[in-house]
Amino acid sequence: MGRVFVAGSINMDVVAAAERHPRVGETVAGSALLYFPGGKGANQAVAAAKLGAPTTLIGRLGKDAFGEQLRTFLAVQGVDLSFVKDTAETHTGTAIITVADADNTIVVVPGANALVDADDVAAPVLAKGDVAVSQFEIPQATIATFFKSVRAGGATTILNPAPASKFDRQLLDLVDILILNETELGFLTGRELRDSDSRDRFTDAARSLAGRDKIVCITLGKRGVLALVQGEPLMVPGREVKAIDTTGAGDCFVGALASQLAVGSGLHHALDYANAAASICVQRMGAAPSMPTAAEVANILDA
Ligand code: RIB
């Protein structure tokens, strides 16, 4: 069995629940203040670990109370933290989130995540069958170093370019599987895309990023996922559920897909599995604590 290595962010999510989002300059009353472990890297690692893949997280925490709480939480989820460093130079990454009507707005203050560097990602040794995952809440130069070295060992690389940010072709060339939503795809391809757009429109946009042999997966919420495999579209439908908080659902998808590829599943099954996992995640409040177990996903797939 392969292993999953996630190089990425670890945040404490400070969440205000409200009936609706405030407009710019407006104040609205919240209904609850909640603290959830989060950060795209940590969320993806928790999902992969809970879904049965041996999972290592590479990242940084501040030497503060949030850092201690996150370390304890992640260890309990079964994530290997041997490559998570404590750094005294700055605070633990923190995300300020408003959740209203199942949707969120997020401001991330990176703190220690911005210090994850080439030495941090050079330490673990990956092999063929392993899966390396990253996202855009740590420096892009660090991700490039990570992917370059793990590819030399034969591992598969997955990039989730979120939050959307411009990146150069050299990094894209180090990616085997690109996973992004329609907003990120629109940003990276300079097109106006909506989740209600046609498959052809997404396929056309994805082709411009796919190059010769990259797999591009566009997550489309309850519509499911559209994957471009060797230039051909493959639609795997999602599930209609009542969402209460979509924070971390994309991360759940990424972690679940990585776990399934690491345990040797084919791509079609891994996509269906990841859709099912994300459909559970959105029915719970919070990011990392919402990641499902393998038994929960199996229940859905068997139904
Ligand atoms: O993708 C969701 C995550 O984005 C949250 O957990 C928050 O920490 C931000 O990083």
Side-chain angles (χ1 to χ4, degrees):
M1 183 199 285
R3 305 160 297 168
V4 175
F5 290 78
V6 182
S9 57
I10 313 170
N11 294 334
M12 182 60 82
D13 292 351
V14 182
V15 179
E19 287 226 329
R20 66 175 178 82
H21 291 281
R23 283 182 284 270
V24 173
E26 189 193 18
T27 303
V28 299
S31 54
L33 177 67
L34 305 150
Y35 293 80
F36 292 115
K40 295 184 193 302
N43 296 339
Q44 293 169 10
V46 169
K50 287 182 76 172
L51 295 170
T55 303
T56 297
L57 179 59
I58 305 158
R60 292 209 189 198
L61 293 164
K63 284 191 174 173
D64 48 28
F66 282 170
E68 273 173 35
Q69 289 161 23
L70 288 164
R71 191 176 275 283
T72 305
F73 169 84
L74 291 166
V76 170
Q77 309 309 305
V79 177
D80 168 28
L81 301 176
S82 336
F83 297 100
V84 173
K85 285 186 191 162
D86 289 332
T87 174
E89 291 149 83
T90 184
H91 62 86
T92 295
T94 305
I96 308 299
I97 303 182
T98 306
V99 175
D101 206 12
D103 260 327
N104 61 52
T105 59
I106 307 181
V107 175
V108 184
V109 190
N113 298 309
L115 301 180
V116 180
D117 65 17
D119 286 345
D120 297 349
V121 295
V125 178
L126 277 71
K128 193 167 166 49
D130 291 340
V131 180
V133 184
S134 199
Q135 347 63 33
F136 279 171
E137 287 185 338
I138 59 169
Q140 288 188 17
T142 304
I143 300 170
T145 306
F146 180 49
F147 282 180
K148 218 177 277 171
S149 86
V150 304
R151 272 188 138 203
T156 300
T157 58
I158 298 182
L159 178 67
N160 172 221
S165 154
K166 287 279 174 219
F167 62 109
D168 62 33
R169 192 81 218 180
Q170 276 167 335
L171 175 55
L172 193 59
D173 288 345
L174 297 168
V175 176
D176 295 311
I177 304 177
L178 191 66
I179 305 177
L180 70 184
N181 65 23
E182 78 284 351
T183 315
E184 289 143 7
L185 180 65
F187 178 86
L188 292 174
T189 57
R191 302 173 194 213
E192 282 269 318
L193 294 174
R194 296 200 182 120
D195 59 0
S196 53
D197 280 346
S198 69
R199 280 186 211 186
D200 287 353
R201 213 164 134 64
F202 290 126
T203 304
D204 190 46
R207 281 205 174 109
S208 65
L209 294 176
R212 243 180 321 140
D213 47 12
K214 194 182 318 307
I215 295 172
V216 179
C217 303
I218 309 148
T219 53
L220 297 170
K222 52 181 179 271
R223 277 178 80 187
V225 58
L226 176 65
L228 198 69
V229 186
Q230 287 169 340
E232 292 307 315
L234 165 69
M235 184 76 202
V236 182
R239 288 169 177 73
E240 283 275 353
V241 294
K242 181 154 174 33
I244 64 156
D245 179 10
T246 56
T247 314
D251 302 329
C252 180
F253 183 93
V254 172
L257 189 81
S259 75
Q260 292 314 290
L261 295 178
V263 302
S265 298
L267 182 69
H268 196 146
H269 172 76
L271 291 167
D272 191 29
Y273 191 98
N275 270 345
S279 78
I280 299 172
C281 176
V282 299
Q283 296 178 67
R284 302 168 176 166
M285 277 300 284
S290 300
M291 301 306 161
T293 61
E296 288 173 320
V297 178
N299 271 342
I300 293 200
L301 292 175
D302 291 348

